[in-house]
Amino acid sequence: MLKTRLCDVLGIEVPVIGAPYGPFEQVDLAAALCGAGALGSLGTAVRPLADLRRQWARMRELTDRPFAVNHTLRPLNEEAFRATLEERPAAISFHLGVPGDLIERAHEAGILWIQQVMDVQQAEQAVQAGADVIVAQGGEAGGQSGEVSTMVLVPQTVDIAGDTPVVAAGGIADGRGLAAALALGAQGVAIGTRLLASVEMTIAAEWKDRIVAADARDTVKLQHSERFMPPFSRPGGYAFPRSLHTPFLDDAEAHPERLEPAEAGPRIVEAMLDGRGHEFLPFTGQSTALVHDVLPAAEIVRGIVDDAETILRRTADAYTRPTSC
């Protein structure tokens, strides 16, 4: 089975990390990923602490494998972060800023830190702050990401990461993506959109169906998300989310001045917690073009890893086989 140093650092069997999905319920998916040898993740964004504690308890019931709990600076819930330290998951993953003070607190609690970055400056900050794993996420990704492509960002990050494992994210949905990431120097991949279209992910069937049917150009980078998404807890944060079109988003991008943040933000949060988030923000990356069905998460992981192994073996054979002049 394909293994890299990332597997040793995180205590997993295959070099695959399941992306966190903010406020969306994903315990069943995360547990299934852990069972398949990957690293499952749980989001925390905008969820009440009581909900998070219930999710963590259920996760512990479903698996004894390592998993990650995600936090962000949009915004940071300090109470939830303290509770995460008390919970002691194998890792905390983080994006939308590189908070050195929080990394220190996690390490003091014996928790690994997985830092997502969107450009080389953030990658440098992550190395200096002592992140244990760096996820270089390109602008192809769904949800909140930057503008630099995965193909450029990953080798940039690898060049400065030293011994810190780098994980590629953005535009990766199959074994070809994993093989390409390894060729760029990454030690694994983080998968988002492909796993949204999994049996275990508890989002609306309509959202999954749209992912299966969509092309890469059916996703849109949101330039005015500050009008309706939570504010950053600290200065300097930025992100340009990517989503499938909705009437709400099309109007928000065309006429941002019409949106009142004090009204739009709470309305979207309420919809997300009520299971209707896809009506406003069906976060989806450009790899939607590579997703053609809804499958169990373990089958998706096995397919990605097996295909990557086959590709790498064939590539090695092609370049080592003697040829006649």
Side-chain angles (χ1 to χ4, degrees), residues 85-105:
L85 296 179
E86 295 169 1
E87 181 68 23
R88 282 180 168 72
I92 291 175
S93 64
F94 204 93
H95 64 287
L96 305 181
V98 184
D101 57 323
L102 302 186
I103 295 175
E104 289 182 7
R105 289 169 62 186

Side-chain angles (χ1 to χ4, degrees), residues 78-206:
E78 173 59 31
E79 183 183 30
F81 187 80
R82 287 198 305 270
T84 302
L85 296 179
E86 295 169 1
E87 181 68 23
R88 282 180 168 72
I92 291 175
S93 64
F94 204 93
H95 64 287
L96 305 181
V98 184
D101 57 323
L102 302 186
I103 295 175
E104 289 182 7
R105 289 169 62 186
H107 284 165
E108 288 171 358
I111 302 171
L112 296 170
W113 191 272
I114 302 172
Q115 179 66 50
Q116 179 183 300
V117 302
M118 298 184 291
D119 56 42
V120 71
Q121 289 77 26
Q122 286 189 344
E124 290 170 344
Q125 293 170 14
V127 171
Q128 293 168 3
D132 300 289
V133 174
I134 301 175
V135 178
Q137 178 163 291
E140 301 95 321
Q144 304 187 70
S145 60
E147 296 181 297
V148 182
S149 73
T150 303
M151 183 67 76
V152 173
L153 182 58
V154 170
Q156 275 190 304
T157 304
V158 168
D159 285 347
I160 64 173
D163 293 332
T164 305
V166 173
V167 173
I172 300 169
D174 56 25
R176 293 171 295 184
L178 173 53
L182 296 177
L184 291 174
Q187 296 288 309
V189 294
I191 305 291
T193 299
R194 168 68 271 203
L195 290 170
L196 280 173
S198 65
V199 170
E200 292 87 351
M201 184 58 194
T202 51
I203 58 172
E206 176 187 346

Side-chain angles (χ1 to χ4, degrees), residues 9-277:
V9 171
L10 296 178
I12 56 179
E13 297 169 6
V14 294
V16 176
I17 297 175
Y21 301 116
F24 299 101
E25 165 64 49
Q26 64 178 112
V27 173
D28 289 341
L29 170 60
L33 291 173
C34 292
L39 185 76
S41 301
L42 300 175
T44 61
V46 306
R47 280 203 172 270
L49 181 56
D51 283 0
L52 298 178
R53 291 191 187 278
R54 283 192 290 270
Q55 289 183 9
W56 300 339
R58 186 159 176 268
M59 188 69 178
R60 298 286 192 190
E61 292 173 356
L62 292 175
T63 183
D64 60 358
R65 301 291 298 161
F67 65 91
V69 172
N70 178 259
H71 289 272
T72 85
L73 286 178
R74 194 174 203 180
L76 174 69
N77 183 328
E78 173 59 31
E79 183 183 30
F81 187 80
R82 287 198 305 270
T84 302
L85 296 179
E86 295 169 1
E87 181 68 23
R88 282 180 168 72
I92 291 175
S93 64
F94 204 93
H95 64 287
L96 305 181
V98 184
D101 57 323
L102 302 186
I103 295 175
E104 289 182 7
R105 289 169 62 186
H107 284 165
E108 288 171 358
I111 302 171
L112 296 170
W113 191 272
I114 302 172
Q115 179 66 50
Q116 179 183 300
V117 302
M118 298 184 291
D119 56 42
V120 71
Q121 289 77 26
Q122 286 189 344
E124 290 170 344
Q125 293 170 14
V127 171
Q128 293 168 3
D132 300 289
V133 174
I134 301 175
V135 178
Q137 178 163 291
E140 301 95 321
Q144 304 187 70
S145 60
E147 296 181 297
V148 182
S149 73
T150 303
M151 183 67 76
V152 173
L153 182 58
V154 170
Q156 275 190 304
T157 304
V158 168
D159 285 347
I160 64 173
D163 293 332
T164 305
V166 173
V167 173
I172 300 169
D174 56 25
R176 293 171 295 184
L178 173 53
L182 296 177
L184 291 174
Q187 296 288 309
V189 294
I191 305 291
T193 299
R194 168 68 271 203
L195 290 170
L196 280 173
S198 65
V199 170
E200 292 87 351
M201 184 58 194
T202 51
I203 58 172
E206 176 187 346
W207 188 355
K208 296 183 185 182
D209 291 343
R210 289 194 65 190
I211 290 172
V212 170
D215 183 65
R217 295 185 67 181
D218 293 327
T219 67
V220 59
K221 207 70 161 146
L222 307 175
Q223 301 299 322
H224 300 287
S225 61
E226 76 283 352
R227 302 289 298 178
F228 52 83
M229 293 193 71
F232 287 88
S233 299
R234 302 181 185 185
Y238 78 98
F240 303 97
R242 184 181 293 279
S243 172
L244 293 169
H245 289 269
T246 64
F248 169 81
L249 291 178
D250 290 345
D251 188 60
E253 290 300 295
H255 304 286
E257 74 283 354
R258 295 179 182 175
L259 280 180
E260 290 295 335
E263 184 277 330
R267 179 158 55 101
I268 292 174
V269 169
E270 180 181 3
M272 287 185 171
L273 296 179
D274 194 38
R276 298 180 294 105

